[in-house]
Amino acid sequence: MKLGPTNRRIAAGLSLVFFAALPARAEPAGAPRAAAVILTPPPGPQPRINGARVFGVRPGHPFLYTIAATGDRPMTFSAENLPAGLKLDANTGRITGAAPERGTFQVRLLASNALGAARRELRIEVGDRIALTPPMGWNSWNCFAGAVTAAKVKAAADAMVKSGLIQHGWQYLNVDDFWQVHRDDRDPTLQGPHRDAQGRILPNPRFPDMPGLADYIHRLGLKAGLYSSPGPWTCGGCVASWQHEVQDAQSYAEWGFDYLKYDWCSYDGVAPRGKKRSLDDLKKPYLVMRDALRRQPRDIVFSLCQYGMGQVWEWGDAVGGNCWRTTGDITDTWESLSEIGFGQAGREACAGPGRWNDPDMLIVGQVGWGPRLHPTRLTPDEQYTHISLWCLLCAPLLIGCDMTQLDDFTRSLLTNDEVLEVNQDPLGQQAGRVVQTGDVEVWAKRMEDGSRAVGLFNRGAQAARVAAPWSDLGLSGRQRVRDLWRQRDVGVFEGRFETVVPSHGVALLRIFKEEI
Ligand code: GLA
């Protein structure tokens, strides 16, 4: 590596800053928690358009895309070259309607306020594929689990707007298990008839108005998700979709839901067991629900949850999945996070626009699987690693915390647009591991513009020097290195970049060809 004096200074500065900002050792149990240092710069007052640059919709289906933009309000929006059938609300930035004609539409978005204007291209693909970038949103499980209510979901939706997260591309509000009636729980708010006389699923008393809930979420410019299982019961023991798949898909669509997580669990008792279970048995329930969903006049993102059985990443797309869990459930410890996150290596060829590997939901903020919550047990460094790695992996980003208790540090982790761009890049290439030396790993992915997003990780208990050689990144010559968490250029480097990364920490970079 050839470093000029300036670069040497900047590079040394980066190491020092990482040292100073982030602790060098894992804290022993009971020790004071390491200070949570916010690296994400606050958004500027001028307009900046964020969020997905490509959006897929099926012809004629209801369309909702909210332009995510930071900057002072009031802000007005306009769009050129929208497909026929779509219209933009200039004040809210919401594009709605239905586009009947198939095709690719290169739309030019404009956001203006008193201080200036921002422009950006949005590619709208009217065709068969949806979820062209990984879904970003919230799910009720990691905070409320069996204590979820419609009121809590509405409060989460309100918080998505009030916290400003909506301005960074966050959109789904997904109800997980426990919106249905429970098979035997004594809690009266979980009791009631399972289905109506026609066999249609009935929610439990905590969810008195399902269309009203979806409508509430849509009116905020957001989208709504639900959860079920192909077996008779969900994982938590509530009524699920076994032998009612088409009716259930119809209900979800009529109510106005946009996302379904479909969780194997009690299907274990339906499918053949042990050695008799074939790959077809694993695929079957997902094909049934895929067909039921496809018959609906509405786009519903289909999220497979069966913990990676039968290497689901190899066939999740073929059974209609937009994403598929590759692992068991995550919890808020370093062991869980690192085993799951770094265990994703080698699956990158299976992901792409509309088909994503899902290493489970985010475990930052106030989590607890209900009803009692606690701050995530991850250290700040581990949280930087979590978000950086999930962005590099093109993982669905589903926040698992109580949105009404979002602290400044957690918000900063979820609102760094340059970091989120790594996740939402239209090329949709999942990062792979390019270096593994002891506890040190480098993960990299190609971005649509030809630049690389690179994570320098240190899984060890001591700070370590981590190097990213250009030869491992498919690069050569002079490259501009940008620190994505700080949104700052570090300098121009040749041959390699290296820095000191704290224990369980990360340096997340974007590397651009330096024009001569
Ligand atoms: C399984 C899933 C979790 C959650 C629960 C609900 O454990 O993996 O994500 O949906 O079921 O009971």
Side-chain angles (χ1 to χ4, degrees), residues 141 176-177 227 235-236 261 263 265 305 307 325 329 360-361:
W141 187 251
D176 206 276
D177 208 348
Y227 167 96
C235 295
K261 173 175 170 184
D263 195 351
C265 261
C305 180
Y307 341 112
R325 280 270 298 277
D329 290 14
D360 206 2
M361 300 176 285

Side-chain angles (χ1 to χ4, degrees), residues 383-402:
Q383 296 179 59
Y384 278 115
T385 291
H386 184 23
I387 304 299
S388 304
L389 186 52
W390 264 236
C391 285
L392 284 163
L393 291 172
C394 292
L397 297 178
L398 291 170
I399 300 167
C401 69
D402 181 351

